Amino acid sequence: MKRKRLLEVDSLKEFICVRAGFAAALITAILLGTASCGSVTQTAGLSPIPSPSPVPTSTPTPTPISTPTPTTTPTPSPTPLAGIFTLTPGVMDIARFNHSATLLDDGTVLITAGVNSSFACVAVPSCFIQSSERFDPGSGTFTKGPTMIAGRHLHTATRLQTGMVLIAGGVNSTGFLATTELFDPATNSFHSSGSMAENRRQHTATLLNDGKVLIAGGFSLDATPDAKSRSSAELYDPATGAFSSAGTMSTGRTDHAAALLNDGRVLITGGNILCTATACGFINAFATAELYDPAANAFSGTGSMATARLKHTATVLPSGLVVISGGETPDAGNTQYIPTASIEIYDPTTGTFSPGGSLTVARSSHTATLLDNGQILFTGGLDLTRTPLNSAELYSPDTHISTAVSDMSDPRVGHTATILPNGQVLVAGGSNGASDLASGEIFK
């Protein structure tokens, strides 16, 4: 039963508005929101060169000494492996999922907030984690960090150009959050940084080229109650610590994806309207996309995807193309969401989407990490049976082919994946469907 609750909290939350009414749903909804094998080279064996015979006193003409030809030991062919996962020596201080992980300027990784379902979430505020941790790639260990101002999950964490990290929104036992806080690596502390105009969770936060942060969409359940997906967007200015309006998207979007294009615009794709002010539980994922232009401080339409989706990923390639992968899409009868394996490529020069192959397995709520070699690493997520995956794969944009790599040590959903300065990837936390995880592993 615990496993089912962990995997279906979003479904419960989505339908609770209809089943029990908004007054009864308010508290429940806000609380449940859901060995590298290189080539083995053997040194070629060399027969020793015999010492010459002693020279007699008559000094005869010496017999030339021939050097034997060395016998070469063949080098075995290496087993081709795209990569493997290795557990980190240390684990986090607390198991957590729906947390955030941010690479800091010193090469360490800041882990913040999240949720731990081992607590009685409805009654205990500590279900929402208020602690932070730092991962050190040098030692492979986690160190307990400072306490945040507020526990939260389904929030965003954005490293600013100053090196500080902006934590925004999310949800905890007090409700949906508009508050933000800044982590300062210099003082190793968190401090308040004002509030957004609207509370929101499952939104996106994108660092723009001018240093500001675009906060877009998300979901809220207000105390009125007024449950809805947000169409609004806001700009955070690190210079002033203030938020200002960034226009309005064409529709409310929750569980959408946002990607900063090479030209400075932001591509927004997919998502859905989780609830309106009167009802929840819609099957209405979007195939539409739109662009935010910082110069105009406004959104405009662009092409549409072939597959409507939410809980997908969007990865910008050095070429400027964007890889849209996986997520959830309505089934044939439009009665439920199912994970998809499809991949699409967005071209900013034409504003269009084209087929980009497919994942080896359908997955949603997974991670996508652009590697230094130009490939994309996909990890975990949920499969067609709503079961967390321990599988991972590498996608080559040049060929549109995705290839399975070694499995992770644990199935994971609600986890994070962070590329480190050495090009390796840290995968941390999440849930395996039965319990939350404190472990981390490195993809080499």
Side-chain angles (χ1 to χ4, degrees):
M1 289 297 292
K2 182 176 181 181
R3 175 173 179 164
K4 181 178 180 182
R5 178 176 68 80
L6 284 173
L7 296 180
E8 297 183 353
V9 290
D10 278 341
S11 298
L12 173 60
K13 171 259 299 171
E14 292 169 7
F15 288 96
I16 196 71
C17 298
V18 177
R19 299 292 186 187
F22 281 93
L26 177 58
I27 295 178
T28 304
I30 63 178
L31 296 178
L32 293 182
T34 141
S36 179
C37 296
S39 57
V40 180
T41 305
Q42 297 179 347
T43 303
L46 299 177
S47 300
I49 300 175
S51 300
S53 302
V55 180
T57 55
S58 58
T59 315
T61 302
T63 303
I65 301 172
S66 61
T67 302
T69 303
T71 302
T72 303
T73 303
T75 302
S77 300
T79 303
L81 289 176
I84 66 163
F85 290 87
T86 305
L87 282 169
T88 59
V91 298
M92 292 187 288
D93 182 64
I94 185 171
R96 60 182 86 207
F97 70 96
N98 287 346
H99 55 287
S100 63
T102 312
L103 180 68
L104 303 179
D105 288 344
D106 66 358
T108 63
V109 179
L110 175 69
I111 309 289
T112 56
V115 69
N116 186 305
S117 59
S118 65
F119 298 105
C121 291
V122 173
V124 181
S126 59
C127 170
F128 301 95
I129 301 171
Q130 197 171 348
S131 67
S132 69
E133 310 193 32
R134 294 274 284 274
F135 174 77
D136 181 357
S139 63
T141 58
F142 296 84
T143 303
K144 193 171 183 178
T147 301
M148 302 172 63
I149 296 172
R152 61 184 80 209
H153 79 132
L154 298 173
H155 57 291
T156 56
T158 310
R159 183 181 68 178
L160 306 176
Q161 292 179 351
T162 60
M164 294 186 181
V165 180
L166 174 69
I167 311 294
V171 63
N172 64 19
S173 58
T174 67
F176 289 74
L177 303 173
T179 59
T180 69
E181 48 191 291
L182 281 176
F183 173 75
D184 187 347
T187 61
N188 194 36
S189 62
F190 291 88
H191 62 266
S192 178
S193 188
S195 292
M196 298 180 287
E198 295 186 305
N199 50 24
R200 58 184 88 216
R201 76 167 200 219
Q202 292 158 284
H203 52 286
T204 56
T206 309
L207 178 67
L208 305 179
N209 289 338
D210 63 2
K212 296 179 180 179
V213 180
L214 174 70
I215 308 287
F219 175 75
S220 175
L221 182 60
D222 294 330
T224 38
D226 180 17
K228 57 187 175 183
S229 293
R230 304 291 195 191
S231 61
S232 64
E234 307 183 41
L235 276 181
Y236 173 78
D237 188 346
T240 62
F243 288 86
S244 60
S245 174
T248 303
M249 296 185 292
S250 62
T251 183
R253 296 178 189 266
T254 299
D255 284 325
H256 52 293
L260 178 69
L261 303 179
N262 289 352
D263 63 8
R265 296 178 297 170
V266 179
L267 174 68
I268 306 289
T269 57
N272 78 333
I273 294 178
L274 189 59
C275 295
T276 66
T278 58
C280 293
F282 301 108
I283 306 298
N284 60 2
F286 305 128
T288 59
E290 44 195 306
L291 292 168
Y292 172 76
D293 185 351
N297 195 32
F299 292 86
S300 61
T302 187
S304 289
M305 298 179 289
T307 301
R309 64 185 84 206
L310 69 155
K311 299 181 180 179
H312 54 291
T313 63
T315 309
V316 181
L317 303 175
S319 65
L321 301 176
V322 185
V323 178
I324 310 295
S325 75
E328 296 183 0
T329 191
D331 65 359
N334 204 48
T335 60
Q336 64 177 336
Y337 285 126
I338 57 173
T340 178
S342 75
I343 295 177
E344 301 187 49
I345 308 295
Y346 177 76
D347 187 343
T349 61
T350 61
T352 59
F353 292 85
S354 60
S358 66
L359 300 166
T360 60
V361 296
R363 60 179 82 220
S364 69
S365 300
H366 53 295
T367 65
T369 310
L370 181 65
L371 305 181
D372 293 342
N373 61 7
Q375 293 181 306
I376 301 174
L377 173 69
F378 299 112
T379 69
L382 296 175
D383 67 9
L384 289 167
T385 66
R386 315 298 295 174
T387 302
L389 292 157
N390 66 348
S391 65
E393 51 190 289
L394 281 174
Y395 175 77
S396 175
D398 294 336
T399 62
H400 294 177
I401 294 175
S402 197
T403 306
V405 297
S406 70
D407 290 340
M408 297 183 290
S409 63
D410 284 291
R412 298 178 189 266
V413 66
H415 57 298
T416 56
T418 311
I419 190 163
L420 304 174
N422 60 7
Q424 299 175 2
V425 178
L426 169 69
V427 178
S431 171
N432 63 15
S435 61
D436 307 329
L437 302 170
S439 63
E441 39 195 311
I442 298 290
F443 177 80
K444 299 182 178 181

